[in-house]
Amino acid sequence: MTTNSLTTSQGAGRAGDKVFSGATLAAGCLILVVLFGVALFLVVQAIPALVAPPADIQGGHGFFAYIWPIVLGTLIAAVIALVIATPIAIGVALFISHYAPRRLASGLGYVVDLLAAIPSVVYGAWGAAFLAPQISPAYGWLASNLGWLPIFQGPASATGKTILTASIVLSVMVLPIITSLSREIFLQTPKLHEEAALALGATRWEMIKMAVLPFGRPGIVSAIMLGLGRALGETMAVALVLSSGVLTASLIQSGNQTIAAEIALNFPEASGLKVSTLIAAGLVLFVITLGVNMIARWIITKHKEFSGAN
């Protein structure tokens, strides 16, 4: 290769680097601009509800008295969903990555990924038409035998459309997300770490505790927080499964509501100040989601020294 052709090739490479660098910078800036635009829109549209007289807001006690029960309902549903889904998802991910035969593992991985592609309205229809009627007798048993606990206090819902049913549906929806991400993290564990643990006499489970889980801890946290974001913002499934009502500590009574379902059910017929109230509720959900992501980033940064990649 001549000196001129080499110089031309290097110049073209530098130009390509500059174009790619500029494109990635523009994409990053675009994300920030869109996020800022969404936040600005929510704040501007929510101001009328935030400054309106309390008597003009639904319930007659002001916006914050209106929003805090559905904020609690949103958090309760999302937390219960994660409590149910997280251990199952991590167990399935470990089975696929370290226990199942290769052919079975690839098939199970495909099925898990396929679950993530099912529309939320299908999950909601399944929860309302099948799960709720089937689980209703169990709620009656809980009310009769464990009714002294506030979370199982009766009377149990006859339809089964409760916050607990909605949480179970949400757990099924976030399960493939947490499983897929955790599986990919576990598969990236350095083989030398695994082989060293086995060579020292560790069983397969001890090797997983010593090598796989510490390596994948930041990734597991990321997967859980991504699932939490999905659970917080889910709309149609909760709207179909939950019989909304006033806030109650019981998980098996009719009642409670989430922010996303509240907006979806009321926005089509809303007008005037009601629209601003629902947008203000969306702003609250936006802030909660942003806070969750910031906490997740802090946790990942705090525990990054456990990652085998470092």
Side-chain angles (χ1 to χ4, degrees):
M1 181 178 293
T2 64
T3 303
N4 291 337
S5 61
L6 181 61
T7 303
T8 303
S9 176
Q10 291 176 345
R14 294 192 188 98
D17 288 342
K18 291 180 179 180
V19 171
F20 182 75
S21 176
T24 54
L25 177 62
C29 293
L30 180 61
I31 292 175
L32 293 177
V33 170
V34 172
L35 184 63
F36 176 77
V38 171
L40 182 63
F41 167 80
L42 292 174
V43 170
V44 171
Q45 295 295 321
I47 288 176
L50 298 176
V51 301
D56 294 341
I57 303 297
Q58 180 178 333
H61 299 289
F63 174 75
F64 293 101
Y66 159 78
I67 195 64
W68 78 265
I70 57 178
V71 168
L72 286 180
T74 302
L75 296 177
I76 289 171
V79 169
I80 293 175
L82 285 185
V83 169
I84 297 173
T86 298
I88 298 175
I90 294 176
V92 173
L94 286 173
F95 177 76
I96 293 174
S97 61
H98 287 81
Y99 284 93
R102 181 169 299 180
R103 290 185 179 181
L104 178 60
S106 61
L108 286 176
Y110 175 77
V111 171
V112 169
D113 294 338
L114 187 63
L115 287 174
I118 298 177
S120 60
V121 67
V122 175
Y123 283 110
W126 167 76
F130 176 79
L131 180 62
Q134 295 296 322
I135 206 171
S136 181
Y139 291 162
W141 183 91
L142 289 173
S144 300
N145 295 274
L146 298 176
W148 51 274
L149 292 173
I151 59 174
F152 297 133
Q153 187 176 3
S157 171
T159 62
K161 293 184 176 182
T162 66
I163 192 71
L164 183 55
T165 305
S167 300
I168 295 173
V169 173
L170 287 176
S171 69
V172 176
M173 296 178 67
V174 303
L175 183 66
I177 298 174
I178 302 176
T179 301
S180 297
L181 293 177
S182 300
R183 179 193 67 204
E184 295 302 322
I185 293 296
F186 295 154
L187 289 174
Q188 293 176 18
T189 305
K191 293 299 179 183
L192 289 176
H193 293 188
E194 298 181 1
E195 293 172 357
L198 294 173
L200 290 173
T203 63
R204 184 176 299 184
W205 170 239
E206 290 172 338
M207 178 271 292
I208 289 173
K209 288 195 298 182
M210 290 188 295
V212 178
L213 293 179
F215 174 86
R217 188 177 303 173
I220 294 173
V221 174
S222 299
I224 292 173
M225 290 303 167
L226 187 60
L228 177 59
R230 173 73 185 273
L232 288 172
E234 182 49 48
T235 304
M236 289 308 302
V238 177
L240 290 173
V241 172
L242 182 60
S243 293
S244 59
V246 297
L247 179 67
T248 175
S250 177
L251 303 179
I252 60 175
Q253 292 182 13
S254 298
N256 296 311
Q257 182 63 297
T258 67
I259 296 177
E262 176 79 5
I263 296 173
L265 293 174
N266 293 285
F267 201 86
E269 300 177 356
S271 61
L273 186 60
K274 181 62 176 178
V275 174
S276 297
T277 302
L278 294 176
I279 292 178
L283 176 62
V284 173
L285 182 59
F286 179 86
V287 172
I288 292 174
T289 306
L290 184 63
V292 166
N293 284 284
M294 293 177 65
I295 293 173
R297 178 58 56 187
W298 175 78
I299 294 174
I300 293 170
T301 302
K302 183 179 179 181
H303 294 92
K304 66 181 179 181
E305 66 271 13
F306 292 98
S307 173
N310 295 323

